[in-house]
Amino acid sequence: MGRFDPTGRLEVGEHSVIALQWATLRGAHGPSDGSGGPRSNVPSALSVLRHAPLYRELPEEIEEAFDVLENHALRHRLLYPVALAIVPFLFDVLRHGSVLAERIEDLVAEYAAAAGTLEPRLTVELVRMIVDHGPEIAKWTNERAIAALAIHVPALRGLYLARLRDLPVLAPAALLGLVALGADDANATRLAHAALDDLTADPMLRMAAAAYLARGEHPPDLRARIAAALPLSAPAALATHVRHWTPEITRPVVAPKLHDAEVVFSGEKLVQVRAGKRNITLPWVGAAVRRGDRLKVGITAHGQPKLVVMTAEDGSVRVIDF
């Protein structure tokens, strides 16, 4: 029978699901033995994960199992005590190999990200459990989950950084993990430059490489290339990709490129100009321009209007920054 010893550590006898009194371990939906409904039946959910090959033709059973483990142990970013009883079983399933390994690893990472919402002694115990499995975690192939654990469990960071030094290819999550940790790595820097230079590379990898490289001091040409690889959609796309943390994306400061343009329409709140073959709409309230006026428009690497430079007849220059 599982219990907490006097030091606050959970004793789980021989990884036996039935050895625990799940009714005394609470989650978001109450007792975890299923007495409150199927969404709280942790023993059943763990059994499905352990015997996943038997449920290959019953994907709904697998989804229901993950629903229990994701939304009973963790709900609205709050982790419940039952998670401490679940984690040893998750590692045991992973140790024996599982077709669901990636999802289980993500689940461990989700628990780690929310560990601080537990009582302090339980947070310490959960972190200890995860750290004890550090050598196993280092062998995972789920880069998103490994990076998240290094971010949320400081004791794993040395192991994580050492692991990255030998990888011939880095996944986007690995580069973003280094950004979150404020760490630099010679191998990662080399691979990030290669990804940035490869216009045929996976867009997510190029964005992650640009985010990693953006932290340093670079010549104007490289800054412009980094900025071009980080579209306005990059922060949201990268956050969705890593899931377990929110990457902080900093774009390098790059002067917009100036284009000669002619006003084709001027209204109360916007102005439309033509620069070469492009029509550009400027969010310009109260613009004192009219059709046919010439001016220069500064366009960012992503085609967004940033400023207008106007030269008056007396030679004075006015800059309007959007």
Side-chain angles (χ1 to χ4, degrees):
M1 176 171 63
R3 64 184 180 85
F4 288 101
D5 70 14
T7 67
R9 295 173 64 144
L10 181 68
E11 297 177 336
V12 183
E14 299 180 356
H15 298 292
S16 173
V17 172
I18 62 173
L20 278 172
Q21 290 186 340
W22 293 101
T24 66
L25 297 170
R26 302 192 67 79
H29 303 295
S32 300
D33 61 348
S35 59
R39 298 192 68 186
S40 63
N41 195 336
V42 173
S44 175
L46 291 173
S47 178
V48 170
L49 265 57
R50 184 178 294 278
H51 303 290
L54 300 179
Y55 293 90
R56 190 181 300 273
E57 304 302 323
L58 298 168
E60 67 278 3
E61 295 285 344
I62 292 176
E63 292 305 318
E64 288 176 6
F66 276 106
D67 179 67
V68 171
L69 300 175
E70 291 170 351
N71 298 309
H72 176 64
L74 177 66
R75 189 166 179 81
H76 301 311
R77 299 187 178 182
L78 294 176
L79 196 62
Y80 287 80
V82 68
L84 276 80
I86 293 172
V87 166
F89 296 108
L90 297 181
F91 276 115
D92 192 56
V93 171
L94 290 171
R95 192 177 303 115
H96 288 84
S98 174
V99 294
L100 303 173
E102 182 172 328
R103 290 190 68 176
I104 295 172
E105 290 162 0
D106 275 326
L107 186 59
V108 174
E110 285 291 334
Y111 287 2
T117 63
L118 291 165
E119 295 179 22
R121 70 183 181 92
L122 299 184
T123 297
V124 170
E125 172 63 8
L126 179 59
V127 169
R128 181 198 64 78
M129 286 182 186
I130 293 172
V131 172
D132 285 349
H133 291 85
E136 298 171 36
I137 292 169
K139 297 178 183 178
W140 290 358
T141 58
N142 185 340
E143 296 296 337
R144 172 178 59 207
I146 302 173
L149 288 172
I151 291 167
H152 298 299
V153 182
L156 293 179
R157 292 177 184 176
L159 187 69
Y160 175 70
L161 295 175
R163 176 182 176 278
L164 294 184
R165 296 189 188 108
D166 299 324
L167 293 180
V169 178
L170 289 187
L175 290 166
L176 294 171
L178 289 170
V179 173
L181 294 173
D184 291 300
D185 177 82
N187 184 46
T189 299
R190 177 181 62 82
L191 293 173
H193 277 290
L196 185 67
D197 293 339
D198 184 2
L199 299 181
T200 65
D202 173 56
M204 196 68 67
L205 177 60
R206 290 194 75 238
M207 285 192 290
Y212 172 82
L213 295 171
R215 301 170 301 158
E217 294 293 330
H218 303 293
D221 177 64
L222 181 53
R223 288 204 307 271
R225 287 162 51 213
I226 291 172
L230 288 172
L232 298 178
S233 60
L238 292 174
T240 299
H241 180 75
V242 298
R243 288 176 48 183
H244 308 304
W245 75 95
T246 302
E248 294 186 7
I249 309 302
T250 303
R251 291 185 181 82
V253 177
V254 179
K257 185 176 181 180
L258 289 177
H259 298 264
D260 290 320
E262 178 182 353
V263 176
V264 295
F265 171 80
S266 179
E268 294 182 1
K269 297 182 178 180
L270 58 86
V271 172
Q272 189 174 61
V273 300
R274 180 176 292 112
K277 297 181 179 180
R278 299 174 58 186
N279 287 325
I280 302 168
T281 299
L282 309 175
W284 194 352
V285 178
V289 295
R290 57 189 177 184
R291 182 182 177 88
D293 284 351
R294 306 289 304 185
L295 41 77
K296 291 185 179 294
V297 179
I299 305 296
T300 69
H302 302 292
Q304 302 296 315
K306 174 61 179 171
L307 55 83
V308 165
V309 178
M310 297 177 60
T311 303
E313 293 182 359
D314 61 3
S316 61
V317 177
R318 181 186 176 198
V319 178
I320 296 90
D321 194 339
F322 301 118

